[in-house]
Structure formats: structure tokens, C-alpha cells
């Protein structure tokens, strides 16, 4: 179990000892009893949450209470991404039935005849093996609730049955995927035609390698086609509009009955021109990502950056939302800010932006036990709370701030926001925290009370869910890939990652392993051990270079490849310094806002959500003064600009040449052509 609540009977590790929450004295005080000697102590909710964010508190399940073994690696419990696609599909289908039951409970008018609910869901998700009765669904729901709404509990106990490895080699799997991609085209070829395509691709490959490759039967290939998400199939073969119409949810807005039962997330460009912290030059309009609790109208997290809407924005916003805001007094000592929102959302309502359709977002939501509801097109009631929040934010906080932009040209008149801009991104984040405290203490007409009052009433009856510990949250919010372990470790984005624990895995396991990483810090990755199904942390061997974002690293690689330079650590660090020199020189010349925004995006000018945890921020836009020793052998000094052999010395090699808004970017804002 990876999700817990602060409630009576819960066990946790605190300061090295195991305690049980024996009593909740009032809403904000907990009585803890130490199991070894029945010693009791009282802790305030705020103190307990602060200890949790600092890593001093870890929730324990029943098995860990019986046998608590020390683990220096702090291996993370099994992750949803470690299961097979068939197992995940089974769990997702069962969750669809459970959600239908819950929606029927929230909106009784949907299914007056409960017997028709089973038939409706079976048809909606194209389930080939539906449950025989509603009793089965209620049994799944009970298991799901007892596990803390963990989707892993819906997979069942069939994990160790049968042969779980594919009998086809990597080359054959690639041919199968190419045939499936051929099937998912607007020309809409039949499954038989796609299978013939697979036969041709295999014959073509065999003629080059002089090998004979075994193929799946037509029935097996047809089953693979049928296992693909039907929304994706119809989107590719017809159009997204047709798919949305076929699988659209009910248009009536959903109603929440407790905190975090339903939340809404969205992005919006901020109607404010912000300036650089040092030069005070305008950078442009940042993007704001926000999550709103539908029950209390409480904003539970936000994230500012110059990165377009992406998986990274969602990750950082979720991190800010889930973590308790216990360090705001330390961050802003001159203000007394109270913002009690925290916890894992049960359901997130999203639109159909590509970042929300990405597999990374789906995996992250599944790992945290978060259900996803996609709002239908032209149905604003599904995300009315967050849309209204954005409007209030712009009209209230930004109304009189110098540098405010206008969507209406007549409102703008002759006002130039670039000339009047004075607010930096850090100050905008501080202003937003202050404004949110005012917002949550103001009566909201939709709930007839203040959001903070509604929130406190809700959590007194329904405690919020929290990750087991900080490591579980860190792993769950990581993006997922597969890599092979080599003698030098794991190669990820041309960087090497290795550790003693990783070498031990290589001795026993020869295939690929699942890895996770944080796009905002690639100095380490997390590897899933095949035997224990737990994650270990593996650091990058190319430090201090790797203390940067994936986006920064990929831009540096792009410049090296453009100049046909070798991708080694010396060239990477040398090119990074040259890019920084270009950006610094362009600060003087930049007049166009879009160029300044590109500079800010490379320098990772964004809200640092790890400040919520009290973790110091690592510099990502510049290197330490000691780094020139790396170039000592070739006499290169990165602080002397006129040394020749500069890949960026041409007149046209400005910020536009090293970074362009082209279609070769994923929704997570990493390049498609990178490996």
C-alpha cells in the first residue's frame, strides 16, 4: 500500500521508532503510542506534516510492522509501471466499472436501473471478459477501498502464472509495431492488410539478415490490435473528434462529496509581463498550471514556468499540490501565510491537451492511484472551477500590477506592458501565495462559505491520502523508460549512470530494466530491480555537469551534433558554457519578447516546487568556478571567449539557432530525435 491517511489506527515510523496513532484528540492533535514500550506522545498536525516533508516520518503497512528491516537504499515499493500491459489493462477496466458505480452514486439519475450499468460499461470500454454480476464489481470496489484506492489491488493474483516473457525477439517486435502503426492510419486498412504488411516487413528484414523469423499467428496479431485503446484507434483511423463523440462522458458537471474526490487541472498564459531577476529586462508571459479541489474550491497546487504546457508542468504542479505547505513561513518570513491544502487527488479532470493524453501522464496518475476523467469538447462545466479560478486570479491579483497584458486590443489602448513590467517570477510566486491565502478566506458563492472552512470540515470526516514517504512520491512522479545495463552502467541521453547496486543487478539480469527520472534534474535515475520489484537510486557519473534539466542537456547535445562534435563530457561542458555566454550577451541586445522567453526557458527560470520541502535549490544555469580544471589537459579556459574552435561563433548562431520552436518536440518538451 502506497497511500495512507492521518487517522486512528495508522502505523508510522517516527525518529527511528514505530508508533501507532492511538487517538485523535482533536482535529489538529494526534496521540502516538510507541509499540516497543507503549510510551505515548502528542504531536500537532503541523509538526507531524513538517516531519513528514523532512523525511522523518514514514507510514507503515501490516507486513512492515511485523518485520522492519533496514535498507540503506530506501528501495521503493512496487510501482504500477512494473506490471505487464495486459495486467494494467485488466486493472484499468476494473477501475472503469468501479468509477461507474461511484458516478451512479453521485448522480442517481444516471442509472435508475442498476442492472443496465454493467451492460453500459461493458459496451463503453469494449471489455471482452465482463464481470457476471454487480456483486463482482462491489467486491472489486471493497478491495480497492481497503488498499487505500491503490490501482495495483485491481490487478489480481495472476502475476506469477504462465510464461510472462514474449517469445519474439526485439527485431520481430519492432516489425509488429510497424504493422500496427500501419493499421492506425487515416487510410484505415483492415487487420488482414496490416498482417500482410507484417509478413512483407519480416520478409524484407530476413532477406537482409539471411535469417528466418517466426511470426505471430493472424489470430494473435488480431488480439494485439483489439487490445489497443479504442479511443486511440478511432483517433488515428478517423479523427479525434469522432473518438471523443464515441467515448465522451456525461455532459452534466460532476459533483464532489469530499475533499480531493474530484480535482481539476489546466494551464493558462499569465496576463503579466515578468522581468529578469538581475537585468530587469522583460522575459515575457509565463505559463501557470493549477489544480483546484472541486469540493472546497481550494487551490491545492500551482506551477509557473516558461515551458509550454507539458508533462513537466503537470509533474511539478502535482508535487506542489501533494506536499504539505509547511515551509511557507521560512520562505517568506515577513508574511504569515497559512495554506493547509495537501494530499493525493482521487480523480483529476483534464482536457484533451496532448500532455494529458501522453503515456507518461497516464503512468504517473496510475502510480499515485489517481483516476483520470477527460472532459468532452465544448463542455466547460466539466472544468468550471479551474477556469473560474484563472479568471479571478487575473481580475483580482493582476488587475493593477505594472506589466499587465490585455487580451482585448481596445482595453490595451496605447499601454505597453514591456515598458512598465517590474515583477520578477520569484516575486510573482510570492504574490500568488499571499493572494491564495486571501482567496481561500473569502466566501465562495458556489459553496456559500470560504474554501478553507469547507476544506477543514471535509478533512475532519475524510482525511486526505498521502504517499508512504518522500521517496515514493519522487519515484511516482518520474517519467518511465526502458534501458539495458552495460558494463559501464546505464546510458541515458549520452550520460552514464552507475553504482554498486546496479552492477549487482547486471550479474543476475541480462535484459532491459525499467528506469524513472525527473526531467527537472537528470543527476540521478531510479532503476526497478527485476527480482524485488523495488527502485534503487543510481547517480550520474558525469557530475557536476548532470545537475541540469533534460531540456538544457538536449539543447547542448543539439548544438554538438550540429557541429559534428563528439558527445563526451568535455565537449558537453564546453558547449554549455558557450551557450550561456550567448544568452548573457543577448540580454543586452534582446528586444523581442519571444527571444527573451527562450533564454528564460533554457536557464530554467521557473517556480522551484522542491522549495516546499525545504530542499536547497541546485544551480542549473551555470557551472561552478572549479569546472575549468576539467579542460586543463587541452588548455581550454571556458571563461576566455576568444580561443577559436567555437561552434557558435558565426553571426547567425544566436539563441534562435540553438533553439527553435519546431515540431520535433514531445508534449514533455524533450526532443523526439534524442535517445
Amino acid at each position: 500500500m502506497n497511500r495512507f491517511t492521518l487517522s486512528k489506527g495508522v502505523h508510522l515510523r517516527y525518529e527511528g521508532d514505530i508508533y501507532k496513532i492511538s487517538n485523535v484528540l482533536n482535529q489538529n492533535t494526534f496521540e502516538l503510542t510507541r509499540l516497543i514500550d507503549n510510551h505515548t506522545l502528542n504531536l500537532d498536525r503541523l509538526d507531524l506534516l513538517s516531519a513528514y516533508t523532512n523525511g522523518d516520518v514514514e507510514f507503515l503497512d501490516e507486513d512492515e510492522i511485523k518485520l522492519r528491516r533496514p535498507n540503506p537504499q530506501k528501495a521503493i515499493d512496487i510501482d504500477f509501471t512494473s506490471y505487464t500491459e495486459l495486467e494494467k489493462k485488466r486493472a484499468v477496466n476494473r477501475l472503469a466499472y468501479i468509477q461507474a458505480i461511484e458516478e451512479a452514486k453521485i448522480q442517481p439519475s444516471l442509472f435508475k436501473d442498476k442492472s443496465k450499468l454493467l451492460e453500459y460499461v461493458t459496451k463503453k470500454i469494449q471489455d471482452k471478459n465482463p464481470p457476471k454480476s454487480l456483486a463482482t464489481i462491489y467486491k472489486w470496489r471493497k478491495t480497492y477501498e481497503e488498499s487505500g484506492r491503490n490501482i495495483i489491488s485491481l490487478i489480481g493474483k495472476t502475476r506469477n502464472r504462465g510464461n510472462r516473457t514474449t517469445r519474439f525477439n526485439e527485431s520481430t517486435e519492432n516489425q509488429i509495431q510497424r504493422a500496427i502503426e500501419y493499421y492506425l492510419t487515416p487510410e484505415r486498412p483492415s487487420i488482414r492488410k496490416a498482417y500482410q504488411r507484417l509478413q512483407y516487413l519480416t520478409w524484407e528484414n530476413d532477406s537482409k539478415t539471411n535469417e528466418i523469423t517466426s511470426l505471430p499467428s493472424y489470430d494473435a496479431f488480431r488480439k494485439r490490435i483489439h487490445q489497443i485503446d479504442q479511443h486511440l484507434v478511432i483517433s488515428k483511423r478517423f479523427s479525434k473528434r469522432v473518438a471523443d463523440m464515441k467515448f465522451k462522458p456525461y455532459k452534466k458537471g460532476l459533483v464532489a462529496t469530499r475533499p480531493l474526490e474530484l480535482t481539476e487541472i489546466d494551464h493558462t498564459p499569465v496576463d503579466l509581463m515578468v522581468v529578469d531577476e538581475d537585468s530587469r529586462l522583460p522575459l515575457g508571459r509565463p505559463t501557470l498550471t493549477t489544480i483546484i479541489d472541486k469540493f472546497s474550491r481550494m487551490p491545492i497546487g500551482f506551477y509557473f514556468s516558461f515551458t509550454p504546457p507539458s508533462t513537466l508542468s503537470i509533474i511539478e504542479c502535482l508535487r506542489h499540490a501533494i506536499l504539505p505547505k509547511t515551509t511557507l513561513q521560512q520562505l517568506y518570513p515577513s508574511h504569515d501565510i497559512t495554506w493547509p491544502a495537501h494530499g493525493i487527488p482521487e480523480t483529476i479532470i483534464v482536457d484533451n491537451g496532448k500532455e494529458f493524453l501522453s503515456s507518461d501522464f497516464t503512468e504517473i496518475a496510475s502510480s499515485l492511484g489517481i483516476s483520470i476523467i477527460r472532459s468532452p469538447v465544448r463542455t466547460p462545466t466539466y472544468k468550471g472551477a479551474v477556469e473560474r479560478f484563472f479568471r479571478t486570479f487575473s481580475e483580482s491579483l493582476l488587475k493593477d500590477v505594472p506589466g499587465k497584458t490585455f487580451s482585448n486590443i481596445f482595453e490595451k489602448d496605447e499601454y505597453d506592458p514591456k515598458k512598465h513590467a517590474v515583477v520578477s517570477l520569484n516575486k510573482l510566486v510570492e504574490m500568488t501565495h499571499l493572494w491564495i491565502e486571501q482567496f481561500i478566506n473569502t466566501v465562495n458563492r458556489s459553496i456559500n462559505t470560504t474554501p478553507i472552512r469547507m476544506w477543514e470540515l471535509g478533512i475532519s470526516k475524510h482525511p486526505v491520502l498521502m504517499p508512504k514517504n518522500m521517496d515514493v512520491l519522487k519515484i511516482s512522479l518520474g517519467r518511465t523508460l526502458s534501458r539495458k545495463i552495460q558494463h559501464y552502467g546505464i546510458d541515458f541521453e549520452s550520460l552514464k549512470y552507475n553504482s554498486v547496486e546496479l552492477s549487482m543487478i547486471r550479474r543476475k539480469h541480462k535484459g532491459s530494466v525499467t528506469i524513472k527520472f525527473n526531467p527537472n534534474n537528470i543527476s540521478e535515475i531510479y532503476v526497478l530491480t527485476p527480482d524485488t520489484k523495488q527502485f534503487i537510486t543510481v547517480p550520474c557519473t558525469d557530475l557536476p555537469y548532470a545537475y541540469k534539466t533534460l531540456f538544457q542537456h538536449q539543447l547542448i547535445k543539439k548544438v554538438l551534433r550540429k557541429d559534428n562534435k563528439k558527445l563526451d563530457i568535455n565537449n558537453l561542458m564546453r558547449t554549455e558554457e558557450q551557450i550561456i555566454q550567448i544568452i548573457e550577451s543577448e540580454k543586452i541586445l534582446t528586444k523581442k519578447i519571444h527571444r527573451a522567453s527562450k533564454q528564460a526557458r533554457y536557464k530554467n527560470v521557473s517556480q522551484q516546487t522542491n522549495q516546499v520541502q525545504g530542499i536547497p535549490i541546485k544551480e542549473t544555469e551555470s557551472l561552478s568556478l572549479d569546472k575549468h580544471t576539467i579542460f586543463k589537459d587541452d588548455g581550454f579556459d571556458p571563461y576566455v571567449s576568444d580561443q577559436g574552435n567555437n561552434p557558435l561563433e558565426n553571426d547567425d548562431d544566436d539563441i534562435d539557432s540553438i533553439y527553435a520552436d519546431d515540431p520535433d518536440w514531445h508534449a514533455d518538451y524533450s526532443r523526439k530525435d534524442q535517445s
Side-chain angles (χ1 to χ4, degrees):
M1 186 191 303
N2 283 338
R3 310 195 310 168
F4 299 81
T5 62
L6 284 173
S7 57
K8 185 176 179 179
V10 172
H11 291 79
L12 50 85
R13 177 185 55 77
Y14 174 65
E15 294 183 345
D17 294 323
I18 299 177
Y19 288 85
K20 177 182 179 180
I21 299 180
S22 53
N23 197 8
V24 181
L25 302 180
N26 54 57
Q27 185 177 341
N28 294 310
T29 305
F30 298 88
E31 181 183 82
L32 275 61
T33 302
R34 189 160 56 193
L35 297 190
I36 192 171
D37 56 6
N38 291 326
H39 171 73
T40 61
L41 61 94
N42 295 336
L43 278 181
D44 181 76
R45 176 186 293 272
L46 184 60
D47 293 336
L48 194 56
L49 291 177
S50 298
Y52 173 84
T53 58
N54 291 330
D56 297 329
V57 170
E58 177 182 5
F59 294 101
L60 305 176
D61 54 32
E62 293 298 331
D63 293 336
E64 290 176 305
I65 298 170
K66 296 176 183 177
L67 181 61
R68 186 67 179 167
R69 296 190 300 267
N71 188 351
Q73 273 292 312
K74 284 192 175 180
I76 312 305
D77 288 348
I78 190 166
D79 187 76
F80 185 69
T81 57
S82 65
Y83 289 91
T84 66
E85 292 301 322
L86 182 61
E87 290 172 324
K88 289 190 285 187
K89 179 68 174 177
R90 182 192 304 124
V92 170
N93 282 351
R94 291 180 176 180
L95 184 58
Y97 288 105
I98 295 173
Q99 289 175 339
I101 292 287
E102 293 176 346
E103 288 181 19
K105 183 178 180 181
I106 295 174
Q107 305 178 79
S109 60
L110 290 179
F111 293 102
K112 295 181 180 179
D113 184 0
K114 292 291 189 296
S115 62
K116 294 183 179 180
L117 185 145
L118 181 61
E119 179 183 351
Y120 167 77
V121 179
T122 300
K123 184 177 179 180
K124 179 181 178 181
I125 67 175
Q126 301 289 314
D127 192 1
K128 301 297 182 181
N129 298 298
K132 296 181 179 180
S133 66
L134 288 174
T136 302
I137 302 178
Y138 283 109
K139 181 179 178 181
W140 292 340
R141 185 186 180 191
K142 181 180 179 182
T143 302
Y144 185 56
E145 292 292 344
E146 288 177 349
S147 69
R149 300 181 69 85
N150 190 341
I151 193 173
I152 295 177
S153 65
L154 299 178
I155 291 178
K157 300 180 179 180
T158 60
R159 184 172 178 82
N160 295 323
R161 294 181 185 175
N163 183 9
R164 297 176 297 280
T165 59
T166 177
R167 65 186 181 89
F168 303 109
N169 57 35
E170 183 177 355
S171 176
T172 304
E173 286 292 335
N174 290 336
Q175 307 304 329
I176 294 173
Q177 290 302 316
R178 290 178 61 185
I180 291 175
E181 291 173 2
Y182 169 73
Y183 174 77
L184 300 176
T185 56
E187 290 73 23
R188 300 197 286 275
S190 64
I191 296 180
R192 178 69 66 180
K193 282 284 187 182
Y195 187 72
Q196 292 174 356
R197 180 76 170 181
L198 172 61
Q199 291 175 319
Y200 169 75
L201 292 172
T202 304
W203 170 83
E204 183 181 40
N205 184 68
D206 289 350
S207 63
K208 295 178 181 178
T209 60
N210 294 322
E211 297 178 354
I212 299 178
T213 303
S214 61
L215 289 176
S217 66
Y218 173 75
D219 287 340
F221 181 75
R222 179 168 53 83
K223 289 180 180 179
R224 282 211 185 190
I225 294 290
H226 288 159
Q227 289 172 356
I228 303 174
D229 177 56
Q230 288 301 300
H231 187 281
L232 174 63
V233 171
I234 296 177
S235 296
K236 296 288 187 181
R237 289 169 62 87
F238 293 88
S239 69
K240 183 178 179 297
R241 184 183 63 84
V242 174
D244 289 341
M245 291 180 61
K246 182 176 178 62
F247 297 102
K248 63 182 178 181
Y250 302 104
K251 289 192 174 182
K252 184 178 179 180
L254 302 178
V255 179
T257 60
R258 58 183 178 272
L260 301 183
E261 180 185 15
L262 293 173
T263 59
E264 301 174 7
I265 185 172
D266 206 354
H267 321 273
T268 188
V270 179
D271 293 333
L272 183 70
M273 197 73 65
V274 302
V275 300
D276 182 78
E277 191 83 23
D278 301 319
S279 68
R280 312 309 295 176
L281 292 173
L283 295 177
R285 299 168 60 188
T287 298
L288 169 63
T289 304
T290 303
I291 301 180
I292 300 291
D293 173 45
K294 199 171 179 68
F295 172 77
S296 63
R297 298 302 193 268
M298 169 80 78
I300 59 174
F302 66 88
Y303 178 65
F304 286 104
S305 78
F306 285 92
T307 301
S310 62
T311 306
L312 175 60
S313 305
I314 301 171
I315 290 173
E316 295 303 326
C317 188
L318 277 172
R319 192 192 316 276
H320 190 243
I322 294 172
L323 290 172
K325 319 298 189 292
T326 57
T327 59
L328 291 178
Q329 190 63 44
Q330 300 174 22
L331 293 174
Y332 309 114
S334 59
H335 310 298
D336 185 14
I337 302 175
T338 301
W339 184 13
H342 67 281
I344 303 175
E346 296 180 29
T347 302
I348 295 182
I349 304 174
V350 302
D351 58 27
N352 292 279
K354 61 182 180 180
E355 67 275 14
F356 296 118
L357 296 173
S358 67
S359 59
D360 282 321
F361 173 62
T362 303
E363 295 279 6
I364 289 170
S366 299
S367 297
L368 290 170
I370 301 173
S371 303
I372 301 173
I373 296 179
R374 306 194 188 281
S375 60
V377 179
R378 294 185 292 274
T379 311
T381 55
Y382 263 76
K383 293 199 294 90
V386 69
E387 297 292 349
R388 177 61 188 172
F389 176 83
F390 285 149
R391 179 180 172 184
T392 305
F393 175 79
S394 180
E395 294 178 351
S396 178
L397 174 62
L398 306 180
K399 182 178 180 180
D400 301 320
V401 178
K404 175 178 171 59
T405 60
F406 297 89
S407 57
N408 190 317
I409 190 172
F410 297 105
E411 292 180 4
K412 179 179 178 182
D413 196 18
E414 296 182 359
Y415 178 81
D416 187 353
K418 297 190 294 295
K419 293 182 179 179
H420 295 81
V422 296
V423 179
S424 66
L425 188 68
N426 284 338
K427 289 300 179 182
L428 177 59
V429 172
E430 181 178 352
M431 290 164 54
T432 302
H433 278 106
L434 286 169
W435 177 82
I436 283 179
E437 185 181 37
Q438 180 186 26
F439 174 83
I440 64 179
N441 285 281
T442 302
V443 174
N444 189 300
R445 288 183 296 177
S446 62
I447 56 177
N448 294 320
T449 186
T450 62
I452 191 170
R453 175 62 177 165
M454 195 72 169
W455 173 271
E456 290 174 346
L457 287 174
I459 65 172
S460 65
K461 300 178 181 178
H462 306 280
V464 298
L465 293 166
M466 299 168 62
K468 178 178 179 180
N469 53 41
M470 297 299 293
D471 287 328
V472 168
L473 178 62
K474 181 170 61 174
I475 299 301
S476 298
L477 291 177
R479 288 185 52 212
T480 306
L481 290 175
S482 179
R483 287 291 186 271
K484 285 188 176 181
I485 305 178
Q486 309 291 348
H487 65 280
Y488 51 77
I490 289 178
D491 186 301
F492 169 63
E493 289 287 340
S494 303
L495 297 176
K496 304 298 186 295
Y497 296 79
N498 206 355
S499 69
V500 175
E501 292 77 14
L502 187 65
S503 64
M504 297 298 293
I505 296 176
R506 182 171 176 264
R507 295 180 183 180
K508 302 178 181 179
H509 185 72
K510 297 183 179 179
S512 298
V513 293
T514 297
I515 70 168
K516 284 200 168 190
F517 67 96
N518 179 2
N520 244 352
N521 181 6
I522 57 173
S523 64
E524 60 185 18
I525 61 175
Y526 318 107
V527 180
L528 181 69
T529 57
D531 295 335
T532 63
K533 300 300 180 183
Q534 295 178 318
F535 282 93
I536 62 170
T537 301
V538 181
C540 180
T541 59
D542 298 321
L543 297 176
Y545 169 82
Y547 287 118
K548 57 174 46 64
T549 68
L550 176 64
F551 177 68
Q552 293 170 328
H553 174 59
Q554 290 183 334
L555 282 182
I556 295 171
K557 288 174 60 180
K558 179 183 177 182
V559 173
L560 281 176
R561 285 175 171 168
K562 177 182 176 182
D563 205 52
N564 296 321
K565 294 289 186 178
K566 182 180 178 182
L567 289 175
D568 59 27
I569 185 61
N570 282 357
N571 282 335
L572 286 170
M573 297 189 72
R574 184 181 296 115
T575 304
E576 177 189 24
E577 183 61 30
Q578 292 163 352
I579 291 176
I580 293 173
Q581 291 174 2
I582 286 181
I583 291 176
E584 293 300 320
S585 64
E586 286 225 337
K587 281 184 179 180
I588 304 174
L589 304 174
T590 294
K591 295 181 180 180
K592 295 183 178 180
I593 290 299
H594 82 277
R595 294 161 66 89
S597 297
K598 290 176 181 179
Q599 298 171 13
R601 196 179 307 164
Y602 176 79
K603 294 186 67 177
N604 196 27
V605 178
S606 62
Q607 176 186 345
Q608 303 299 322
T609 57
N610 48 1
Q611 284 184 331
V612 176
Q613 310 169 40
I615 299 174
I617 310 303
K618 293 186 176 70
E619 291 292 335
T620 57
E621 62 267 30
S622 61
L623 302 174
S624 67
L625 293 177
D626 293 329
K627 69 181 182 301
H628 69 278
T629 57
I630 297 177
F631 310 109
K632 191 172 183 179
D633 293 338
D634 58 8
F636 181 86
D637 188 344
Y639 293 93
V640 180
S641 60
D642 187 14
Q643 300 179 77
N645 298 322
N646 187 342
L648 303 173
E649 63 185 355
N650 297 330
D651 293 338
D652 59 347
D653 280 325
D654 57 9
I655 192 66
D656 287 318
S657 69
I658 62 174
Y659 166 52
D661 287 314
D662 56 37
D664 292 329
W665 297 93
H666 280 305
D668 59 13
Y669 237 67
S670 60
R671 287 187 59 84
K672 296 177 183 178
D673 57 357
Q674 307 298 315
S675 59

